[in-house]
Amino acid sequence: MKQKLTLLLLLFTVLTVANCKKEPLLITGSETMHTLLNVVAAGYAKKNPNVEVTVQGGGSFEGIEKLFDAKTDIAASSRPLTPEEQTQFERKGRFENVLIGYDGIAVVVNPANSVSKLTLEQISKIFSGEIKDWSQVGGKPGPIHVILRNDKSGTAAYFETHILRQRDLGEKEYQTSKKKEFTNDSKVVADNDEMADLIEKDTASVGFMGMGSAQIQNKGKVKAVPYSKTGKDPFVEPNIQNVSERKYKLSRGLYLFYLSDRGKKIDEFITYITSEEGQTMVLKSGYLRSTLSTVEVEATKP
């Protein structure tokens, strides 16, 4: 009788553990969005204790590649898909593309650096190696040490096109600069935290990262430099209010990509992050919520 009770108890324990096993949901991609997604995932887990959300970085390109290879449920990206990528995903199934927020890209230096403002052209010349000394942009004399994100980064891809190659200055300037490359003297890092750690230790260094990462996750380690597109327009600090009011021009959308016929858990997470509660968490993480931006765009129309 005792043996039967022991066996029944063991069977009950096994069944209980099996029933309590959480369903995994994997999100992979943008380092810029990493902390944001962890914050949202924690809120989601409280309402959905049967789902375990794991957020992995690696960069926007990494997320897109893994989604295409069915190695992740959702890809996080700080850049939109190329037309070729869009076509490839549409061939795989019911492809969905959702904008969850906006982020400003901040040019960052050591807090002790005396440089107080930079124009797009100056930044382009710094990262291409044409400007090599801080005294050329109003700082104390000394060599500039450029730090870059790796080629998996959506932020780096955006920065390369819009700043390094000057697309934001217009088609004429872009055609002149479209073959410009990052300086060979730069140091390449895997993520924003590694970049912030290096900049904190080196007063001569400069890099770029998402606004939320610069002003919340790495606050105190780096200083975001006020930016002006032409030098004739105002120099503006990258923060939520300035991006929201369209004063800070160096900003882009944050996206989640997924195939909607791959499970209820994916659709439910997307519903949560685009809900009022999810969007509030996006805002608290240091990014501009996507729904707020839409309201403001409509409000500014004549």
Side-chain angles (χ1 to χ4, degrees):
M1 182 69 178
K2 186 175 181 180
Q3 287 181 329
K4 287 184 179 179
L5 286 172
T6 302
L7 287 172
L8 286 171
L9 181 61
L10 180 61
L11 179 61
F12 176 78
T13 302
V14 170
L15 289 172
T16 301
V17 170
N19 289 333
C20 290
K21 187 176 180 180
K22 293 184 177 182
E23 187 177 11
L25 176 64
L26 178 61
I27 306 172
T28 308
S30 170
E31 290 289 344
T32 294
M33 299 167 67
H34 198 160
T35 299
L36 177 160
L37 290 169
N38 274 325
V39 170
V40 175
Y44 177 78
K46 292 179 182 178
K47 293 194 170 185
N48 300 272
N50 60 319
V51 178
E52 183 174 11
V53 182
T54 302
V55 180
Q56 293 182 349
S60 299
F61 287 88
E62 180 89 359
I64 292 167
E65 288 172 1
K66 287 195 172 180
L67 180 63
F68 188 79
D69 293 334
K71 294 180 179 179
T72 192
D73 296 305
I74 299 173
S77 178
S78 58
R79 68 165 177 87
L81 292 179
T82 65
E84 293 77 17
E85 289 169 338
Q86 181 88 24
T87 300
Q88 287 180 318
F89 277 116
E90 287 172 351
R91 289 172 182 165
K92 280 187 165 288
R94 292 179 56 196
F95 174 73
E96 299 290 345
N97 176 342
V98 59
L99 175 70
I100 64 162
Y102 292 89
D103 182 34
I105 296 179
V107 176
V108 292
V109 297
N110 184 282
N113 193 314
S114 60
V115 169
S116 59
K117 58 185 180 180
L118 289 169
T119 66
L120 186 153
E121 185 178 10
Q122 287 174 325
I123 298 168
S124 175
K125 288 182 176 181
I126 287 171
F127 281 86
S128 67
E130 295 171 73
I131 291 179
K132 297 180 178 294
D133 195 285
W134 284 113
S135 62
Q136 294 175 263
V137 289
K140 295 179 180 178
I144 297 174
H145 300 158
V146 173
I147 303 175
L148 304 173
R149 288 288 310 283
N150 61 30
D151 59 7
K152 297 287 186 181
S153 166
T155 304
Y158 183 96
F159 190 93
E160 181 181 61
T161 299
H162 292 264
I163 300 300
L164 180 71
R165 296 176 178 169
Q166 302 185 31
R167 169 150 252 166
D168 282 7
L169 288 180
E171 189 61 26
K172 181 180 177 181
E173 288 78 4
Y174 176 64
Q175 290 301 322
T176 301
S177 304
K178 66 180 181 180
K179 293 184 179 180
K180 189 176 284 191
E181 300 290 342
F182 287 117
T183 174
N184 290 327
D185 294 331
S186 60
K187 183 177 181 63
V188 179
V189 298
D191 55 42
N192 293 329
D193 290 340
E194 185 181 356
M195 179 177 285
D197 288 342
L198 286 174
I199 292 175
E200 183 183 29
K201 296 172 184 175
D202 179 10
T203 56
S205 59
V206 61
F208 55 83
M209 62 181 63
M211 173 183 72
S213 182
Q215 301 210 334
I216 293 184
Q217 289 90 43
N218 291 298
K219 184 178 181 180
K221 290 184 175 182
V222 300
K223 178 179 76 172
V225 182
Y227 163 83
S228 170
K229 190 162 71 172
T230 65
K232 296 178 181 178
D233 49 320
F235 287 85
V236 181
E237 181 183 355
N239 59 41
I240 290 175
Q241 182 176 349
N242 287 335
V243 172
S244 172
E245 294 175 354
R246 304 297 187 272
K247 292 178 181 178
Y248 189 77
K249 306 296 185 182
L250 188 53
S251 61
R252 52 19 195 312
L254 304 176
Y255 304 88
L256 294 181
F257 306 134
Y258 62 102
L259 296 170
S260 61
D261 54 358
R262 302 302 167 91
K264 183 181 177 183
K265 63 183 180 181
I266 298 174
D267 293 328
E268 289 180 342
F269 182 82
I270 297 298
T271 298
Y272 179 77
I273 199 171
T274 54
S275 70
E276 181 62 26
E277 183 175 329
Q279 287 289 290
T280 298
M281 290 183 175
V282 169
L283 189 64
K284 287 182 178 179
S285 300
Y287 302 87
L288 181 64
R289 46 185 286 171
S290 61
T291 50
L292 181 62
S293 179
T294 301
V295 170
E296 288 171 351
V297 169
E298 292 299 320
T300 56
K301 287 183 179 179

